[in-house]
Amino acid sequence: MNRSAEKKDLFLKFIKRECSTEEVQQVVTDIKKAKKLSDVADIEVINDMLDEYPDMNETQADIIFSTIVEADAPSKKKFYFWKYAAAAILTIGLVSSYFFRSNLVSTTSEIVPVVATAVVIPKIEIGTDKAILTLENGDIIPLEKDGGYVADNAVSDGKELVYETQNNTKSEIIYNYLTIPRGGQFKLQLADGTKVWLNSETQLKFPVAFIKGETRKVELLYGEAYFDVSPSSDHNGSKFNVKTQVQDIEVLGTEFNIKAYKNSTAIYTTLVEGKVALNSMNKTQYLIPNQQIILNTENQKLTIKDIDVYDEISWKSGLFSFKGKSLKEIMIVLSRWYDIEFEFSNKNLENVKFNGVLLKKQSLEEILTIIKETKFINSYEVTAKKVILK
């Protein structure tokens, strides 16, 4: 049997959940070494098909395997989607317990495992595409699934709001606000063609049209947003500027992520492509790709570090990527997406660190079950809009 056939047989065994822990790791290794990578659409198909288990048959598994190994290679820019697809596959069903147990990180707090207590959790809704558009005249327009919106210069299908490509010939700029509530996410295309992905609990102030020749300005009032900026070369050299509460970010045409939540004392700016200049307190700091700058809003201290940017931006691709994150940090992220509060009955649990990749389309019960299976939490209790971790 040649190596390709062996890989295929092992993958079929993986689908049937007949793999040992070592075999699961071999499947992961084979996937990561695949010379040809699938694109975003293929990844979504793979995850959807895996979700249908145990009804999956061998023919469907063959299709998935072929998609993984034989798909046309995408551009280098899309590589990171595949990196997370391999991890995301492992979150499905029983395989997730193998993956997450193998990725635990030791903590400074010693916690004695206790046999988990079964808990029935009330229905908690998974986050969806939704937003609230506020026009300059004060009109409020809900944007959500199955709810379209059409205006003179904008249209929405409930998942994305797109403004007509145009330049404002007037000196007066009209601003709109897009607010993403807890339990929501949304995509926005500005009038200059810039694409913005907005995470839960976020608000962006933006013009409905930009003045030709002038700097294109938007303001992230709070929350998290990923920008894919239309290059200056397409706009007569005009720069693009993003303002937050204490800093300005100037770009020429690039991709970057800003996280500036109201309950945080730090603003995180992560550069994926291009170059940005961050201006704060009369200081200018430049970033290069794969760097993150952290601004402490209390003392104005700036810290720059090299990071894996795709851990930071996986949220826009439907994933939670937690690398060495404490349970407290993880629960803050989950609270925004599932619109529910978390409480630790044992404060030592807050510092327990965890590695893993989770799907945003998973139910909260599935995610809590995975974390509970690590034995670092004994049980959880749901009361009204709060989850208590014990």
Side-chain angles (χ1 to χ4, degrees):
M1 182 182 298
N2 59 40
R3 180 57 180 148
S4 178
E6 289 178 355
K7 287 183 179 181
K8 185 173 181 179
D9 286 349
L10 184 58
F11 186 77
L12 294 175
K13 189 175 180 181
F14 169 78
I15 293 299
K16 297 175 182 178
R17 297 181 185 172
E18 297 174 352
C19 284
S20 63
T21 303
E22 292 75 16
E23 288 173 326
V24 169
Q25 294 303 324
Q26 183 58 55
V27 171
V28 176
T29 299
D30 290 342
I31 291 174
K32 287 183 177 180
K33 288 182 178 179
K35 293 182 179 180
K36 294 185 177 181
L37 312 172
S38 69
D39 61 20
V40 182
D42 288 327
I43 290 169
E44 292 174 351
V45 170
I46 291 170
N47 287 332
D48 288 343
M49 294 181 73
L50 285 174
D51 276 341
E52 295 174 4
Y53 184 85
D55 297 326
M56 182 183 294
N57 56 41
E58 193 165 303
T59 300
Q60 290 174 311
D62 283 346
I63 294 173
I64 294 176
F65 182 80
S66 297
T67 303
I68 290 172
V69 177
E70 300 171 7
D72 291 334
S75 65
K76 181 179 179 182
K77 184 175 176 180
K78 291 186 178 179
F79 172 79
Y80 59 87
F81 289 104
W82 177 245
K83 175 181 178 182
Y84 285 103
I89 289 173
L90 299 182
T91 64
I92 307 300
L94 298 178
V95 178
S96 60
S97 62
Y98 294 140
F99 181 68
F100 286 96
R101 284 190 183 124
S102 68
N103 282 282
L104 295 176
V105 179
S106 60
T107 71
T108 55
S109 302
E110 183 177 351
I111 301 175
V112 180
V114 184
V115 177
T117 303
V119 176
V120 177
I121 185 171
K123 179 67 173 178
I124 296 175
E125 297 297 328
I126 300 173
T128 60
D129 296 310
K130 58 184 175 182
I132 298 171
L133 175 64
T134 303
L135 305 180
E136 188 176 52
N137 63 8
D139 287 351
I140 296 176
I141 302 167
L143 304 175
E144 54 191 354
K145 185 179 179 181
D146 301 326
Y149 167 71
V150 179
D152 291 339
N153 63 331
V155 62
S156 175
D157 60 358
K159 294 182 179 180
E160 179 181 12
L161 176 62
V162 178
Y163 280 80
E164 179 184 347
T165 301
Q166 60 179 328
N167 286 311
N168 191 351
T169 57
K170 301 178 181 179
S171 59
E172 181 183 1
I173 297 180
I174 297 175
Y175 285 96
N176 285 351
Y177 293 78
L178 195 62
T179 305
I180 317 303
R182 290 168 63 89
Q185 63 182 11
F186 216 74
K187 184 179 177 182
L188 169 67
Q189 181 169 310
L190 300 173
D192 67 336
T194 292
K195 297 179 176 62
V196 189
W197 286 260
L198 302 164
N199 209 345
S200 302
E201 204 170 5
T202 295
Q203 187 175 72
L204 184 75
K205 177 183 178 181
F206 61 95
V208 299
F210 297 95
I211 297 178
K212 186 176 181 179
E214 295 189 7
T215 299
R216 297 164 287 158
K217 297 180 180 180
V218 300
E219 185 173 357
L220 181 63
L221 299 173
Y222 58 82
E224 183 171 19
Y226 182 94
F227 293 85
D228 183 351
V229 178
S230 179
S232 298
S233 57
D234 292 345
H235 304 281
N236 298 315
S238 64
K239 298 177 181 178
F240 191 92
N241 182 283
V242 181
K243 177 180 174 58
T244 66
Q245 52 185 300
V246 293
Q247 69 180 23
D248 287 303
I249 298 173
E250 185 177 287
V251 304
L252 298 176
T254 190
E255 295 188 35
F256 60 97
N257 193 82
I258 305 177
K259 183 162 55 178
Y261 280 104
K262 290 186 290 187
N263 59 353
S264 175
T265 58
I267 298 177
Y268 302 83
T269 303
T270 305
L271 183 60
V272 179
E273 289 186 4
K275 185 177 181 180
V276 300
L278 188 148
N279 303 302
S280 178
M281 300 296 291
N282 298 318
K283 295 180 180 178
T284 300
Q285 183 66 56
Y286 292 92
L287 278 184
I288 61 175
N290 300 310
Q291 281 190 335
Q292 180 182 79
I293 188 166
I294 304 171
L295 171 62
N296 187 310
T297 58
E298 294 183 331
N299 59 22
Q300 300 301 311
K301 181 179 179 181
L302 293 173
T303 303
I304 297 179
K305 62 180 182 178
D306 296 327
I307 63 167
D308 183 343
V309 297
Y310 306 118
D311 285 331
E312 293 293 320
I313 67 173
S314 61
W315 63 268
K316 66 181 279 288
S317 303
L319 301 170
F320 295 119
S321 179
F322 300 122
K323 186 176 182 180
K325 297 293 185 181
S326 68
L327 285 182
K328 182 178 181 179
E329 292 174 302
I330 291 171
M331 295 310 151
I332 289 174
V333 174
L334 297 182
S335 70
R336 296 188 186 112
W337 182 238
Y338 295 97
D339 190 17
I340 192 166
E341 298 299 327
F342 288 87
E343 179 181 309
F344 291 88
S345 63
N346 178 355
K347 293 301 181 182
N348 288 330
L349 291 175
E350 294 182 355
N351 299 318
V352 173
K353 292 188 176 180
F354 189 88
N355 277 350
V357 178
L358 302 163
L359 295 176
K360 292 177 71 175
K361 66 179 180 180
Q362 286 179 281
S363 69
L364 181 59
E365 182 179 12
E366 289 174 313
I367 289 179
L368 291 176
T369 298
I370 290 171
I371 295 176
K372 189 173 69 175
E373 287 178 352
T374 67
K375 304 300 182 183
F376 280 120
I377 65 172
N378 171 36
S379 63
Y380 56 84
E381 176 186 350
V382 179
T383 59
K385 293 287 286 183
K386 181 183 291 185
V387 174
I388 303 172
L389 302 179
K390 302 178 180 180

